[in-house]
């Protein structure tokens, strides 16, 4: 990176550190912070959509659909979320390959599960055997995003379902008295009003989502945890220009600080949004704001 | 080999008693149920001890956070912030490598590099921080009249805390604390995936479920088994905490008694 870095053995102190922290591998570490942010940016809206779908399904008057929605909300109760992460990654992968297999190789006659193997035809492999490395990485990341979205969609469905219940019943009754259909009352009355009730739960969920991002490591994505372990381990002079002892503790300390800052900033921002949204609402919070101003 | 033989061989495998080698091929349903169940010993061990010991530290932290003196309040606030603001997964990693470094300097710390002690310490601090926040919130919502009544009876200091503040705080905090307990048990599944090694393949339930899923390449059997075990554990926790909840609320009229609602919101 810097011109004086050409011969690291002669360096010491801060100059050594500045060279050490700008090696190619460290750039990968910094880029993986981007991976985490990208995961958050993609997962949050998709999970919200899944959650909205789940919550609306749970409220449906069509009984099997409502069971489906309630089952979706219920899956995350009672079972550790990490078990779902490990489960969905393999299950989704096999589901996709199985789908492609049935479409692409209809005349395949061997069973798919042969003992301890899951065998699909070569054309159905995901990603294809000869695909470049970046396709493998993107596919892994895509699976991780989908897994996160399904699980956090269930959490969000739970929050939104509660928020829909919290909208005063009289509001919907009034809408029906005006002759609105069930569907109109839902979209025009219920949905616009539910967000203020949902926001505390959703901001909690955002914090939980931030704190779940290191689990990407378990899904096989090269994220910050992966790089912290790689870079922190003992390095001998044989393999690197920057030999050092076991520094993993410092790397994970840095990750700890990163997450603390991230959650703190989120907390402050979400607090501001909440203050703005409660302004003028007929809730306890809105009343407190009115009294404080008066 | 019948299922009873398998149970005899593997029921205590996770604590190192019984057959040394894990099954390598021809996995039967019985083997999976037995081994994953055997792993639950660790989950229950971590959860129970961390919960019981964390309860006391949490009470102390909640008191400290409510204190007027900044000397007490600030450290408690920071402790709670650090453990609630960062992912448990990273805390495990950091603690493991911290203990490794400490071990090189002071050999006293060597037990802490193994899961049974090291992960327990992290879980103990973690649940203390989360519970302290719950207790602190409950302490803030103790009705003013209760404290005033205690003052009117001439109670202060320790008797007032022991007979008025503490029971009321527990009563108000109990539903949230039940959730905390449930999610602490769920969090124990992270231990063997975060640095702490499973020596001689003695791991927890998720460790074995993952082992079977990797070997058979079929996630649809081990993970549902694991889910069943955890649902049973969750129901047991709800039952036990419900009994305590009844006792805490026994002086209230029937209708006012708080019921515990399970809210799946506390993932770490």
């Amino acid at each position: 990176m810097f011109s004086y870095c050409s011969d690291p053995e002669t360096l010491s102190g801060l100059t050594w550190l500045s060279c050490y922290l700008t090696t190619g591998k460290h750039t990968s570490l910094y880029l993986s912070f981007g991976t985490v942010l990208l995961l958050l940016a993609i997962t949050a809206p998709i999970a919200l959509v899944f959650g909205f779908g789940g919550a609306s399904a749970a409220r449906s008057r069509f009984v099997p659909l409502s069971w489906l929605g309630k089952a979706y909300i219920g899956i995350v109760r009672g079972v550790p979320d990490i078990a779902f992460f490990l489960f969905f990654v393999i299950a989704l992968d096999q589901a996709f390959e199985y789908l492609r297999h049935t479409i692409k190789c209809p005349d395949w006659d061997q069973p798919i599960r042969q003992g301890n193997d899951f065998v699909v035809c070569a054309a159905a492999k995901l990603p294809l055997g000869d695909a470049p490395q970046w396709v493998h990485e993107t596919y892994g990341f895509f699976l991780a995003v989908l897994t996160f979205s399904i699980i956090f969609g269930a959490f969000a469905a739970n929050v939104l379902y509660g928020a829909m219940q919290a909208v005063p019943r009289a509001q919907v009754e009034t809408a029906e008295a005006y002759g609105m259909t069930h569907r109109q009352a839902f979209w025009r009355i219920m949905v616009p009003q539910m967000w203020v009730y949902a926001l505390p739960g959703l901001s909690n969920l955002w914090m939980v989502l931030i704190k779940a991002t290191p689990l990407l490591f378990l899904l096989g994505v090269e994220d910050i945890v992966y790089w912290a372990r790689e870079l922190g381990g003992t390095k001998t002079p044989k393999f690197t220009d920057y030999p050092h002892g076991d520094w993993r503790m410092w790397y994970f300390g840095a990750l700890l600080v990163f997450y603390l800052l991230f959650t703190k900033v989120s907390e402050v921002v979400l607090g501001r949004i909440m203050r703005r949204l409660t302004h003028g609402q007929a809730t306890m919070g809105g009343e407190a704001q009115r009294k404080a101003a008066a | 080999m019948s299922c009873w033989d398998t149970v005899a061989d593997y029921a205590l495998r996770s604590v190192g008693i019984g057959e040394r080698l894990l099954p390598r091929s021809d996995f039967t349903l019985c083997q999976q149920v037995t081994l994953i169940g055997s792993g639950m010993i660790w989950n229950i061990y971590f959860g129970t001890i961390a919960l019981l010991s964390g309860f006391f530290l949490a009470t102390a932290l909640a008191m400290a956070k409510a204190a007027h003196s900044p000397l007490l309040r600030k450290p408690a606030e920071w402790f709670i912030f650090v453990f609630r603001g960062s992912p448990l997964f990273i805390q495990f990693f950091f603690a493991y490598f911290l203990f490794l470094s400490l071990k090189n300097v002071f050999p006293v710390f060597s037990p802490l590099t193994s899961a049974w002690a090291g992960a327990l310490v992290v879980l103990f601090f973690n649940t203390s921080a989360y519970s302290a926040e719950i207790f602190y919130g409950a302490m803030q919502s103790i009705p003013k009249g209760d404290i005033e009544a205690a003052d009117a009876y001439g109670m202060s200091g320790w008797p007032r805390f022991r007979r008025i503040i503490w029971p009321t705080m527990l009563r108000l905090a109990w539903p949230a604390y039940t959730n905390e307990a449930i999610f602490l048990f769920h969090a124990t599944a992270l231990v063997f995936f975060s640095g702490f090694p499973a020596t001689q393949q003695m791991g927890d339930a998720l460790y074995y479920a993952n082992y079977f899923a990797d070997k058979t390449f079929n996630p649809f059997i081990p993970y549902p088994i694991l889910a069943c075990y955890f649902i049973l554990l969750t129901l047991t926790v709800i039952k036990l905490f419900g009994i305590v909840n009844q006792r805490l609320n026994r002086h209230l009229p029937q209708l006012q008694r708080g019921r515990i609602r399970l809210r799946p919101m506390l993932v770490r």
Side-chain angles (χ1 to χ4, degrees), chain A residues 77-83 86-87 90-91 94 113 116 118 155 158 201 204 208 211 214-215 217-218 225 229 248-249 252-253 255-256 259-260 263-264, chain B residues 27 81-82 84-87 89-90 93-94 97-98 101 130 186 189-190 193 206 215-220 223 226-227 230-231 234 262 264-265 267-268:
Chain A
R77 298 185 182 203
V79 182
D81 58 334
I82 174 187
L86 294 176
F87 169 76
I90 314 183
Q94 293 190 350
R113 287 204 187 281
N116 293 334
F118 182 83
F155 286 125
N158 192 51
N204 189 8
V208 173
K211 287 190 265 169
L215 297 180
F217 170 67
L218 295 179
V225 178
R229 270 165 59 114
R248 285 177 292 189
M249 180 183 125
F252 278 101
L255 289 192
L256 208 65
Y259 276 107
L260 284 178
T263 45
K264 190 75 199 172
Chain B
F27 304 96
F81 170 63
V82 167
R84 289 184 77 229
S86 59
F89 197 52
I90 302 283
F93 270 116
F94 177 69
F97 294 124
L98 175 73
S101 316
Y130 276 90
H186 290 184
L190 272 174
F193 288 84
L206 189 64
K215 293 278 175 202
T216 61
F217 212 58
N218 179 2
F220 297 98
Y223 289 120
L226 176 85
F230 265 100
I231 287 170
T234 305
L262 176 61
M265 285 305 304
V267 199
R268 291 138 206 264

Side-chain angles (χ1 to χ4, degrees), chain A residues 147-167:
Chain A
T147 307
F148 266 80
S149 303
I150 291 175
I151 293 164
F152 279 88
F155 286 125
N158 192 51
V159 171
L160 293 180
Y161 184 71
M164 286 177 187
Q165 304 283 26
V167 172

Side-chain angles (χ1 to χ4, degrees), chain A residues 12 40 53 72 108-109 131 137 155 165-166 183 185 202 228 231 242 246 270 273 276 279 291:
Chain A
S12 64
L40 284 172
Y72 179 52
W108 184 275
D109 54 355
E137 279 171 16
F155 286 125
Q165 304 283 26
R183 179 186 297 257
L202 288 181
L231 295 169
Y242 302 93
D246 189 351
L270 287 169
I273 296 179
R276 176 156 303 175
H279 185 79
K291 275 195 186 139

Side-chain angles (χ1 to χ4, degrees), chain A residues 210-245:
Chain A
I210 292 176
K211 287 190 265 169
T213 49
L215 297 180
L216 264 182
F217 170 67
L218 295 179
L219 311 187
V221 177
E222 292 186 358
D223 73 330
I224 43 181
V225 178
Y226 172 85
W227 284 112
R229 270 165 59 114
E230 280 291 292
L231 295 169
T234 310
K235 297 278 189 303
T236 51
K238 210 191 273 179
F239 298 108
T240 169
D241 295 335
Y242 302 93
H244 61 75

